[in-house]
Amino acid sequence: MTTTTGPARVTGAVGTAHTRVEGRAKVTGAARYAGEIPFADLAHGWLVVSTVARGSVRAVESGPVLAMPGVLAVLHHGNAPRVDAGYVGLLGRPDPIVGLFQSDRVPCAGWPVALVVAETSEQAREAAEALVVRYEKEPHDVAFLPDGPGVYTPEPRETMETDKGDLERELAASAVVVDARYTTPEEHHNPMEPHAATVRWDGGRLEVYDSNQGSKWVADELAKLFSLEPASVRVLSEHIGGGFGSKGLRPHQVAAAMAATVLQRPVRVVLTRRQMFSLIGYRSPTAHHVRLGADADGRLRAFGHEARNATSTVHEFVEASATFGRVMYDAAAHRTANRLVRLDVPTPTWMRAPGEAPGSFAVESALDELAERCGVDPIALRARNEPAVGPVSGLPFAGRGLLACFEEGARRFGWAGRDPRPGVRREGRWLLGTGTAAATFPAGARPSTAAVTAEADGTFTVRISAADIGTGARTALTLIAADALETEPARVRVRIGDSDFGPAMVAGGSAGTRSWAWAIMAAAAGLHEQLALGGDLPPEGLTVRSDTSAAIAALPERERHSYGAQFAEVAVDPATGEVRVRRMLGIFAAGRIVNPLTARGQLTGGMIWGISMALHEEAVRDRASGAHVGPDLAGYHFAAHADVPRIEADWVDDPDADDPVGIKGIGEIGIVGAAAAVANAVWHATGVRHRDLPIRPGRVLAAGAGPDGSRGA
């Protein structure tokens, strides 16, 4: 037995800049990712995906492939293990794409139809490319038409639609009306680390080394899919090279698990960049109809936003873009609706700031149009329409720092000196303009468990099924634990990414760090109570476990959100249509900022993605084949270093007296409103409004712009 005197009282780790605790391991290669962990007797799987957009598999001619060097197996709908894809998991019924090889049906191009397994990755790829799959083709439709047929409202209807007051009457009574339509294209996550999983059976347990956003989540889904006891599946995901919403249960884990079961040896499946465009989800194209009615001074009487997105024929996914306005602006009449169109495409999924990113582009562009028509400064217009309570819910706000963000941002950006007239600033051949937009994202928390151990040597170990998808979560949790334990960060070791650590929130919805912090703080408080009793620590240490389910359920109901104000300056060349973002500033109200160093990286990363969304990103589908045109990082354009301007992110104080944690989450808020700020700046530079993203040179030239803001080059 070892006697402990307790740690020296040290506080203040939270809020101080701290380099990543795993930084050295990552830059030296010591950190292992899912696709590079060594295993003895490892086999490699390569997925084969459909080349037709709709139909059925007539034949998989596996015989010639099985005769190729190193090939061990070819799995397809005729011989694959049976799974149960009808289960209900954390997020409801899964996308049927994870019910791998259970049917000959092909609902979209890029649908997985076979897995080739071989001794080496090269052999598996060669054999997969040689595999002949014959199809019975059927007519398909992949065209998302903003005003096309087949639009419907999904269930539950009460969450898809809100309706307060008489929208048509208030619009008719308004002095100024904006009635406009906006669109955003199909967009794709492209994390640096492709999706990868290595699976083996170990002592009767299915052990999965995976890159995901929630190890316990994926473990539970796999257990249900394969009809296994939850305890017989372990998922480990220690280091992750990005996720952005795409790294949940996907076909690669299922394929690897099937092959490991059939071959009784470890199997690794890594998706290619091109496969990721069809197998991991994406942001659906969206179409928006925004109707605003206001008095002459810009006070809203009517707010209407109908948003549409495409979904697959086999699974519903709602890009809830109309949700954005439900907490932002009040009006006597307030109507929002999210609607769907079924197409022969892969199922979309969550992508950074789902709903809010495209929704904010439409609403914040429309607000800018309203400000222009009313002759009111865009910031003053937003201040004039600041609600006292939730516009739809009627709930009080748990802090609402939006106007504080605009005030601080306007001061630092130099907004007061802005000439509101479009097309009057010029620098050589460039037309210059500035724009702004508001941002918001929910600040949620979900029940989580954590274990904190006081070790015999005076250090502490935290175990929680959290995921660090590149955000710096591991470091943030180290700082939070250090303060909760009243010790220094160097004496705290945080272990994450292991489903055996128990239930915890996934890394998503900007709720991960808040949820995990709550569980760690609760376990640390319990450990303090135990240590205060005195006595000796056993050699294995003293462990206290927490569960925040009851505490979160008791939290008073409020509108809990992060907020932000985005500012952008652009230069537009009317002769070439080129748009250059020169500088951006984002000021955010996002609760307690745990680690300023990584927080700025999160916020500026989101803002850069907003530049990408505004000017570059657009996945195009060929209507004839139903497949993508250029599904790779050569054909899919995004912001590169040369596109990134002077960019700065900062924050204002944002306390919440009712919240014991005080963290609101920053993963999503940085992208919200960023594209609208850029689009509004392009209008200010040229006098021409762009309602369809991206604002590529061809569209600028087609719209025309002159130095006085008039149409025509």
Side-chain angles (χ1 to χ4, degrees), residues 118-173:
E119 295 287 355
T120 70
S121 177
E122 293 80 8
Q123 290 170 334
R125 177 174 185 169
E126 182 181 6
E129 291 174 348
L131 182 67
V132 174
V133 181
R134 302 199 183 276
Y135 302 93
E136 190 73 41
K137 292 176 64 174
E138 298 172 7
H140 64 264
D141 181 9
V142 299
F144 178 70
L145 304 175
D147 296 313
V151 178
Y152 72 98
T153 303
E155 298 293 340
R157 204 177 187 91
E158 60 270 18
T159 64
M160 294 295 110
E161 297 182 329
T162 63
D163 200 353
K164 180 181 76 171
D166 190 326
L167 185 70
E168 302 303 331
R169 184 180 67 188
E170 293 297 336
L171 284 168

Short mmCIF file of all heavy atoms in Angstrom, two decimals, residues 118-173:
data_model
loop_
_atom_site.label_atom_id
_atom_site.label_comp_id
_atom_site.label_asym_id
_atom_site.label_seq_id
_atom_site.Cartn_x
_atom_site.Cartn_y
_atom_site.Cartn_z
N ALA A 118 -6.98 -10.31 -50.53
CA ALA A 118 -5.74 -10.93 -51.00
C ALA A 118 -4.66 -10.76 -49.95
O ALA A 118 -4.83 -10.08 -48.94
CB ALA A 118 -5.31 -10.30 -52.33
N GLU A 119 -3.52 -11.37 -50.23
CA GLU A 119 -2.41 -11.33 -49.28
C GLU A 119 -1.82 -9.92 -49.16
O GLU A 119 -1.34 -9.53 -48.10
CB GLU A 119 -1.31 -12.30 -49.72
CG GLU A 119 -1.72 -13.76 -49.69
CD GLU A 119 -1.83 -14.31 -48.27
OE1 GLU A 119 -1.49 -13.58 -47.31
OE2 GLU A 119 -2.25 -15.47 -48.11
N THR A 120 -1.82 -9.16 -50.25
CA THR A 120 -1.28 -7.80 -50.21
C THR A 120 -2.32 -6.83 -50.76
O THR A 120 -3.23 -7.22 -51.51
CB THR A 120 0.00 -7.66 -51.05
OG1 THR A 120 -0.33 -7.77 -52.44
CG2 THR A 120 1.03 -8.73 -50.68
N SER A 121 -2.14 -5.58 -50.42
CA SER A 121 -3.04 -4.54 -50.92
C SER A 121 -2.96 -4.43 -52.43
O SER A 121 -3.99 -4.25 -53.12
CB SER A 121 -2.69 -3.20 -50.27
OG SER A 121 -3.49 -2.18 -50.76
N GLU A 122 -1.75 -4.57 -52.97
CA GLU A 122 -1.57 -4.47 -54.42
C GLU A 122 -2.28 -5.60 -55.15
O GLU A 122 -2.92 -5.40 -56.19
CB GLU A 122 -0.08 -4.46 -54.77
CG GLU A 122 0.68 -3.23 -54.30
CD GLU A 122 1.05 -3.29 -52.81
OE1 GLU A 122 0.84 -4.36 -52.19
OE2 GLU A 122 1.54 -2.28 -52.28
N GLN A 123 -2.19 -6.81 -54.60
CA GLN A 123 -2.88 -7.94 -55.22
C GLN A 123 -4.39 -7.77 -55.15
O GLN A 123 -5.11 -8.07 -56.11
CB GLN A 123 -2.46 -9.24 -54.53
CG GLN A 123 -1.03 -9.67 -54.80
CD GLN A 123 -0.59 -10.81 -53.90
OE1 GLN A 123 -1.11 -10.99 -52.80
NE2 GLN A 123 0.38 -11.60 -54.38
N ALA A 124 -4.87 -7.26 -54.02
CA ALA A 124 -6.31 -7.05 -53.87
C ALA A 124 -6.82 -6.00 -54.86
O ALA A 124 -7.87 -6.17 -55.48
CB ALA A 124 -6.63 -6.63 -52.44
N ARG A 125 -6.04 -4.94 -55.04
CA ARG A 125 -6.47 -3.89 -55.97
C ARG A 125 -6.47 -4.40 -57.42
O ARG A 125 -7.44 -4.16 -58.16
CB ARG A 125 -5.55 -2.68 -55.84
CG ARG A 125 -5.89 -1.57 -56.83
CD ARG A 125 -5.07 -0.33 -56.60
NE ARG A 125 -5.52 0.75 -57.48
CZ ARG A 125 -5.13 2.01 -57.36
NH1 ARG A 125 -4.30 2.37 -56.41
NH2 ARG A 125 -5.59 2.93 -58.20
N GLU A 126 -5.42 -5.11 -57.80
CA GLU A 126 -5.35 -5.61 -59.17
C GLU A 126 -6.51 -6.56 -59.45
O GLU A 126 -7.14 -6.50 -60.52
CB GLU A 126 -4.01 -6.32 -59.40
CG GLU A 126 -3.83 -6.83 -60.82
CD GLU A 126 -2.51 -7.56 -61.02
OE1 GLU A 126 -1.77 -7.76 -60.04
OE2 GLU A 126 -2.22 -7.93 -62.18
N ALA A 127 -6.80 -7.41 -58.49
CA ALA A 127 -7.88 -8.37 -58.69
C ALA A 127 -9.24 -7.67 -58.71
O ALA A 127 -10.12 -8.03 -59.50
CB ALA A 127 -7.84 -9.42 -57.59
N ALA A 128 -9.41 -6.67 -57.86
CA ALA A 128 -10.67 -5.93 -57.83
C ALA A 128 -10.92 -5.22 -59.15
O ALA A 128 -12.06 -5.17 -59.65
CB ALA A 128 -10.66 -4.93 -56.68
N GLU A 129 -9.86 -4.67 -59.72
CA GLU A 129 -10.01 -3.97 -61.00
C GLU A 129 -10.26 -4.95 -62.15
O GLU A 129 -10.83 -4.57 -63.18
CB GLU A 129 -8.77 -3.13 -61.27
CG GLU A 129 -8.65 -1.95 -60.31
CD GLU A 129 -7.35 -1.17 -60.48
OE1 GLU A 129 -6.44 -1.68 -61.17
OE2 GLU A 129 -7.24 -0.08 -59.89
N ALA A 130 -9.86 -6.21 -61.96
CA ALA A 130 -10.09 -7.22 -63.00
C ALA A 130 -11.44 -7.91 -62.86
O ALA A 130 -11.88 -8.59 -63.80
CB ALA A 130 -8.97 -8.27 -62.94
N LEU A 131 -12.09 -7.78 -61.71
CA LEU A 131 -13.35 -8.49 -61.47
C LEU A 131 -14.43 -7.98 -62.42
O LEU A 131 -14.69 -6.78 -62.52
CB LEU A 131 -13.80 -8.29 -60.02
CG LEU A 131 -15.08 -9.03 -59.61
CD1 LEU A 131 -14.84 -10.54 -59.62
CD2 LEU A 131 -15.56 -8.56 -58.23
N VAL A 132 -15.10 -8.89 -63.09
CA VAL A 132 -16.19 -8.55 -64.00
C VAL A 132 -17.51 -8.72 -63.26
O VAL A 132 -17.81 -9.80 -62.73
CB VAL A 132 -16.16 -9.43 -65.26
CG1 VAL A 132 -17.39 -9.16 -66.13
CG2 VAL A 132 -14.88 -9.18 -66.05
N VAL A 133 -18.29 -7.66 -63.21
CA VAL A 133 -19.62 -7.68 -62.62
C VAL A 133 -20.61 -7.29 -63.71
O VAL A 133 -20.46 -6.25 -64.36
CB VAL A 133 -19.74 -6.71 -61.43
CG1 VAL A 133 -21.14 -6.77 -60.83
CG2 VAL A 133 -18.70 -7.02 -60.36
N ARG A 134 -21.62 -8.10 -63.92
CA ARG A 134 -22.61 -7.83 -64.96
C ARG A 134 -23.91 -7.38 -64.29
O ARG A 134 -24.31 -7.92 -63.25
CB ARG A 134 -22.84 -9.06 -65.82
CG ARG A 134 -21.55 -9.55 -66.50
CD ARG A 134 -21.81 -10.45 -67.68
NE ARG A 134 -20.53 -10.94 -68.23
CZ ARG A 134 -19.79 -10.26 -69.08
NH1 ARG A 134 -20.18 -9.05 -69.49
NH2 ARG A 134 -18.64 -10.77 -69.53
N TYR A 135 -24.55 -6.38 -64.92
CA TYR A 135 -25.72 -5.74 -64.32
C TYR A 135 -26.93 -5.80 -65.23
O TYR A 135 -26.81 -5.88 -66.46
CB TYR A 135 -25.43 -4.25 -64.04
CG TYR A 135 -24.25 -3.99 -63.13
CD1 TYR A 135 -22.98 -3.77 -63.66
CD2 TYR A 135 -24.40 -3.95 -61.76
CE1 TYR A 135 -21.89 -3.53 -62.84
CE2 TYR A 135 -23.32 -3.70 -60.93
CZ TYR A 135 -22.07 -3.50 -61.47
OH TYR A 135 -21.00 -3.25 -60.65
N GLU A 136 -28.09 -5.74 -64.61
CA GLU A 136 -29.35 -5.46 -65.31
C GLU A 136 -29.66 -4.00 -65.02
O GLU A 136 -30.05 -3.64 -63.91
CB GLU A 136 -30.46 -6.37 -64.77
CG GLU A 136 -31.74 -6.33 -65.59
CD GLU A 136 -31.60 -7.06 -66.91
OE1 GLU A 136 -30.97 -8.14 -66.94
OE2 GLU A 136 -32.10 -6.53 -67.92
N LYS A 137 -29.47 -3.15 -66.01
CA LYS A 137 -29.62 -1.71 -65.81
C LYS A 137 -31.09 -1.29 -65.87
O LYS A 137 -31.88 -1.87 -66.62
CB LYS A 137 -28.82 -0.93 -66.86
CG LYS A 137 -27.31 -1.07 -66.70
CD LYS A 137 -26.57 -0.36 -67.82
CE LYS A 137 -26.81 1.13 -67.79
NZ LYS A 137 -25.98 1.86 -68.78
N GLU A 138 -31.40 -0.25 -65.08
CA GLU A 138 -32.74 0.34 -65.08
C GLU A 138 -32.60 1.85 -65.23
O GLU A 138 -31.56 2.42 -64.92
CB GLU A 138 -33.46 0.00 -63.77
CG GLU A 138 -33.68 -1.48 -63.54
CD GLU A 138 -34.24 -1.77 -62.16
OE1 GLU A 138 -34.58 -0.80 -61.44
OE2 GLU A 138 -34.32 -2.96 -61.79
N PRO A 139 -33.64 2.54 -65.71
CA PRO A 139 -33.57 4.00 -65.81
C PRO A 139 -33.35 4.64 -64.45
O PRO A 139 -33.85 4.14 -63.43
CB PRO A 139 -34.95 4.38 -66.37
CG PRO A 139 -35.46 3.13 -67.01
CD PRO A 139 -34.90 1.99 -66.21
N HIS A 140 -32.59 5.73 -64.43
CA HIS A 140 -32.29 6.40 -63.17
C HIS A 140 -32.51 7.89 -63.29
O HIS A 140 -32.59 8.44 -64.39
CB HIS A 140 -30.84 6.12 -62.75
CG HIS A 140 -29.82 6.69 -63.70
ND1 HIS A 140 -29.26 5.95 -64.71
CD2 HIS A 140 -29.29 7.94 -63.82
CE1 HIS A 140 -28.41 6.70 -65.40
NE2 HIS A 140 -28.42 7.93 -64.88
N ASP A 141 -32.57 8.54 -62.13
CA ASP A 141 -32.74 10.00 -62.06
C ASP A 141 -31.84 10.52 -60.95
O ASP A 141 -32.02 10.16 -59.78
CB ASP A 141 -34.20 10.35 -61.79
CG ASP A 141 -34.44 11.87 -61.74
OD1 ASP A 141 -33.52 12.63 -62.09
OD2 ASP A 141 -35.55 12.27 -61.35
N VAL A 142 -30.87 11.34 -61.32
CA VAL A 142 -29.95 11.91 -60.32
C VAL A 142 -30.00 13.43 -60.31
O VAL A 142 -29.23 14.07 -59.59
CB VAL A 142 -28.50 11.45 -60.59
CG1 VAL A 142 -28.37 9.94 -60.50
CG2 VAL A 142 -27.99 11.97 -61.93
N ALA A 143 -30.91 14.03 -61.06
CA ALA A 143 -30.93 15.49 -61.21
C ALA A 143 -31.73 16.14 -60.09
O ALA A 143 -32.95 15.92 -59.97
CB ALA A 143 -31.52 15.87 -62.56
N PHE A 144 -31.06 16.93 -59.26
CA PHE A 144 -31.74 17.69 -58.21
C PHE A 144 -32.18 19.02 -58.81
O PHE A 144 -31.36 19.90 -59.08
CB PHE A 144 -30.80 17.92 -57.02
CG PHE A 144 -31.43 18.75 -55.92
CD1 PHE A 144 -32.46 18.23 -55.15
CD2 PHE A 144 -30.98 20.03 -55.66
CE1 PHE A 144 -33.04 18.98 -54.14
CE2 PHE A 144 -31.55 20.78 -54.64
CZ PHE A 144 -32.58 20.26 -53.88
N LEU A 145 -33.48 19.16 -59.02
CA LEU A 145 -34.04 20.37 -59.62
C LEU A 145 -34.75 21.15 -58.52
O LEU A 145 -35.71 20.64 -57.91
CB LEU A 145 -35.01 20.01 -60.74
CG LEU A 145 -34.44 19.12 -61.85
CD1 LEU A 145 -35.53 18.73 -62.84
CD2 LEU A 145 -33.30 19.84 -62.56
N PRO A 146 -34.32 22.38 -58.24
CA PRO A 146 -34.91 23.15 -57.13
C PRO A 146 -36.44 23.21 -57.17
O PRO A 146 -37.09 23.19 -56.12
CB PRO A 146 -34.28 24.53 -57.29
CG PRO A 146 -32.96 24.26 -57.94
CD PRO A 146 -33.22 23.12 -58.88
N ASP A 147 -37.01 23.28 -58.37
CA ASP A 147 -38.47 23.36 -58.49
C ASP A 147 -39.04 22.10 -59.13
O ASP A 147 -40.14 22.12 -59.70
CB ASP A 147 -38.86 24.59 -59.32
CG ASP A 147 -38.45 25.88 -58.64
OD1 ASP A 147 -38.71 26.01 -57.43
OD2 ASP A 147 -37.84 26.73 -59.31
N GLY A 148 -38.29 21.00 -59.04
CA GLY A 148 -38.72 19.77 -59.67
C GLY A 148 -39.80 19.04 -58.90
O GLY A 148 -40.20 19.44 -57.80
N PRO A 149 -40.29 17.93 -59.45
CA PRO A 149 -41.36 17.16 -58.82
C PRO A 149 -40.84 16.27 -57.70
O PRO A 149 -39.63 16.13 -57.49
CB PRO A 149 -41.90 16.33 -59.98
CG PRO A 149 -40.70 16.11 -60.85
CD PRO A 149 -39.88 17.37 -60.76
N GLY A 150 -41.78 15.65 -57.00
CA GLY A 150 -41.44 14.64 -56.01
C GLY A 150 -41.05 15.17 -54.65
O GLY A 150 -40.53 14.43 -53.81
N VAL A 151 -41.31 16.45 -54.39
CA VAL A 151 -40.94 17.03 -53.09
C VAL A 151 -41.94 16.57 -52.03
O VAL A 151 -43.15 16.57 -52.26
CB VAL A 151 -40.91 18.56 -53.18
CG1 VAL A 151 -40.58 19.16 -51.82
CG2 VAL A 151 -39.90 19.02 -54.21
N TYR A 152 -41.44 16.18 -50.86
CA TYR A 152 -42.33 15.78 -49.77
C TYR A 152 -41.73 16.18 -48.43
O TYR A 152 -40.54 16.49 -48.32
CB TYR A 152 -42.60 14.27 -49.81
CG TYR A 152 -41.42 13.41 -49.40
CD1 TYR A 152 -41.31 12.90 -48.10
CD2 TYR A 152 -40.41 13.10 -50.31
CE1 TYR A 152 -40.23 12.12 -47.73
CE2 TYR A 152 -39.33 12.31 -49.95
CZ TYR A 152 -39.25 11.83 -48.66
OH TYR A 152 -38.17 11.05 -48.29
N THR A 153 -42.57 16.20 -47.42
CA THR A 153 -42.14 16.53 -46.06
C THR A 153 -41.96 15.25 -45.27
O THR A 153 -42.92 14.48 -45.11
CB THR A 153 -43.16 17.42 -45.36
OG1 THR A 153 -43.38 18.60 -46.14
CG2 THR A 153 -42.67 17.82 -43.97
N PRO A 154 -40.77 14.98 -44.76
CA PRO A 154 -40.55 13.74 -44.01
C PRO A 154 -41.17 13.81 -42.61
O PRO A 154 -41.55 14.89 -42.13
CB PRO A 154 -39.03 13.64 -43.94
CG PRO A 154 -38.56 15.06 -44.03
CD PRO A 154 -39.55 15.78 -44.89
N GLU A 155 -41.25 12.68 -41.99
CA GLU A 155 -41.71 12.60 -40.60
C GLU A 155 -40.52 12.63 -39.65
O GLU A 155 -39.42 12.25 -40.04
CB GLU A 155 -42.51 11.30 -40.39
CG GLU A 155 -43.77 11.20 -41.25
CD GLU A 155 -44.84 12.22 -40.88
OE1 GLU A 155 -44.78 12.76 -39.74
OE2 GLU A 155 -45.71 12.49 -41.72
N PRO A 156 -40.69 13.09 -38.40
CA PRO A 156 -41.93 13.63 -37.85
C PRO A 156 -42.18 15.06 -38.32
O PRO A 156 -41.30 15.91 -38.24
CB PRO A 156 -41.70 13.57 -36.33
CG PRO A 156 -40.22 13.67 -36.17
CD PRO A 156 -39.62 13.01 -37.38
N ARG A 157 -43.36 15.30 -38.81
CA ARG A 157 -43.70 16.56 -39.44
C ARG A 157 -43.53 17.74 -38.50
O ARG A 157 -43.16 18.85 -38.90
CB ARG A 157 -45.13 16.49 -39.96
CG ARG A 157 -45.42 17.47 -41.09
CD ARG A 157 -46.84 17.30 -41.62
NE ARG A 157 -47.07 18.12 -42.80
CZ ARG A 157 -46.87 17.72 -44.03
NH1 ARG A 157 -46.45 16.49 -44.26
NH2 ARG A 157 -47.10 18.53 -45.06
N GLU A 158 -43.80 17.52 -37.20
CA GLU A 158 -43.73 18.64 -36.25
C GLU A 158 -42.32 19.18 -36.07
O GLU A 158 -42.14 20.33 -35.66
CB GLU A 158 -44.30 18.22 -34.89
CG GLU A 158 -43.61 17.05 -34.22
CD GLU A 158 -44.21 15.71 -34.59
OE1 GLU A 158 -44.93 15.63 -35.60
OE2 GLU A 158 -43.97 14.73 -33.85
N THR A 159 -41.30 18.38 -36.38
CA THR A 159 -39.92 18.90 -36.32
C THR A 159 -39.46 19.43 -37.68
O THR A 159 -38.53 20.22 -37.74
CB THR A 159 -38.94 17.81 -35.86
OG1 THR A 159 -38.91 16.76 -36.83
CG2 THR A 159 -39.35 17.24 -34.51
N MET A 160 -40.12 19.00 -38.75
CA MET A 160 -39.74 19.45 -40.09
C MET A 160 -40.35 20.80 -40.43
O MET A 160 -39.81 21.55 -41.24
CB MET A 160 -40.17 18.42 -41.13
CG MET A 160 -39.45 17.08 -41.02
SD MET A 160 -37.68 17.21 -41.36
CE MET A 160 -37.02 16.92 -39.71
N GLU A 161 -41.51 21.13 -39.84
CA GLU A 161 -42.21 22.36 -40.16
C GLU A 161 -42.55 23.14 -38.89
O GLU A 161 -42.89 22.54 -37.86
CB GLU A 161 -43.52 22.06 -40.90
CG GLU A 161 -43.34 21.40 -42.25
CD GLU A 161 -44.67 21.17 -42.96
OE1 GLU A 161 -45.69 20.97 -42.25
OE2 GLU A 161 -44.69 21.19 -44.19
N THR A 162 -42.46 24.44 -38.96
CA THR A 162 -42.97 25.31 -37.90
C THR A 162 -43.80 26.39 -38.56
O THR A 162 -43.50 26.84 -39.68
CB THR A 162 -41.84 25.96 -37.08
OG1 THR A 162 -41.06 26.81 -37.94
CG2 THR A 162 -40.93 24.91 -36.46
N ASP A 163 -44.84 26.83 -37.88
CA ASP A 163 -45.74 27.82 -38.47
C ASP A 163 -46.35 28.66 -37.36
O ASP A 163 -47.07 28.14 -36.49
CB ASP A 163 -46.84 27.11 -39.27
CG ASP A 163 -47.51 28.03 -40.29
OD1 ASP A 163 -47.22 29.24 -40.28
OD2 ASP A 163 -48.32 27.53 -41.08
N LYS A 164 -46.05 29.95 -37.38
CA LYS A 164 -46.58 30.90 -36.39
C LYS A 164 -47.13 32.11 -37.14
O LYS A 164 -46.43 32.72 -37.96
CB LYS A 164 -45.47 31.32 -35.42
CG LYS A 164 -45.93 32.31 -34.35
CD LYS A 164 -44.77 32.71 -33.44
CE LYS A 164 -43.85 33.70 -34.12
NZ LYS A 164 -42.83 34.26 -33.19
N GLY A 165 -48.36 32.50 -36.87
CA GLY A 165 -48.94 33.66 -37.52
C GLY A 165 -49.34 33.39 -38.96
O GLY A 165 -49.29 32.25 -39.45
N ASP A 166 -49.75 34.46 -39.65
CA ASP A 166 -50.22 34.37 -41.03
C ASP A 166 -49.16 34.98 -41.93
O ASP A 166 -49.08 36.20 -42.08
CB ASP A 166 -51.55 35.12 -41.18
CG ASP A 166 -52.21 34.88 -42.52
OD1 ASP A 166 -51.47 34.73 -43.52
OD2 ASP A 166 -53.45 34.85 -42.57
N LEU A 167 -48.35 34.13 -42.56
CA LEU A 167 -47.22 34.61 -43.35
C LEU A 167 -47.70 35.44 -44.54
O LEU A 167 -47.15 36.53 -44.81
CB LEU A 167 -46.39 33.42 -43.84
CG LEU A 167 -45.11 33.79 -44.58
CD1 LEU A 167 -44.07 34.38 -43.64
CD2 LEU A 167 -44.52 32.56 -45.28
N GLU A 168 -48.71 34.98 -45.25
CA GLU A 168 -49.15 35.69 -46.46
C GLU A 168 -49.71 37.07 -46.09
O GLU A 168 -49.46 38.05 -46.81
CB GLU A 168 -50.21 34.87 -47.20
CG GLU A 168 -49.75 33.47 -47.61
CD GLU A 168 -48.50 33.50 -48.49
OE1 GLU A 168 -48.29 34.49 -49.21
OE2 GLU A 168 -47.73 32.52 -48.44
N ARG A 169 -50.45 37.16 -45.01
CA ARG A 169 -51.01 38.45 -44.60
C ARG A 169 -49.91 39.43 -44.21
O ARG A 169 -49.95 40.60 -44.59
CB ARG A 169 -51.98 38.25 -43.43
CG ARG A 169 -52.69 39.55 -42.99
CD ARG A 169 -53.63 39.28 -41.85
NE ARG A 169 -52.91 38.90 -40.64
CZ ARG A 169 -53.49 38.45 -39.52
NH1 ARG A 169 -54.80 38.28 -39.49
NH2 ARG A 169 -52.77 38.14 -38.47
N GLU A 170 -48.92 38.96 -43.47
CA GLU A 170 -47.85 39.85 -43.04
C GLU A 170 -46.98 40.28 -44.22
O GLU A 170 -46.49 41.41 -44.26
CB GLU A 170 -47.00 39.18 -41.96
CG GLU A 170 -47.73 38.94 -40.64
CD GLU A 170 -48.18 40.23 -39.96
OE1 GLU A 170 -47.56 41.29 -40.22
OE2 GLU A 170 -49.15 40.17 -39.19
N LEU A 171 -46.76 39.38 -45.18
CA LEU A 171 -46.02 39.77 -46.37
C LEU A 171 -46.77 40.86 -47.14
O LEU A 171 -46.18 41.84 -47.61
CB LEU A 171 -45.79 38.56 -47.27
CG LEU A 171 -44.71 37.57 -46.83
CD1 LEU A 171 -44.79 36.28 -47.65
CD2 LEU A 171 -43.32 38.18 -46.95
N ALA A 172 -48.10 40.71 -47.26
CA ALA A 172 -48.90 41.70 -47.97
C ALA A 172 -48.89 43.05 -47.27
O ALA A 172 -48.98 44.10 -47.94
CB ALA A 172 -50.33 41.18 -48.12
N ALA A 173 -48.76 43.03 -45.96
CA ALA A 173 -48.77 44.28 -45.19
C ALA A 173 -47.38 44.91 -45.06
O ALA A 173 -47.25 45.99 -44.49
CB ALA A 173 -49.35 44.02 -43.80
#
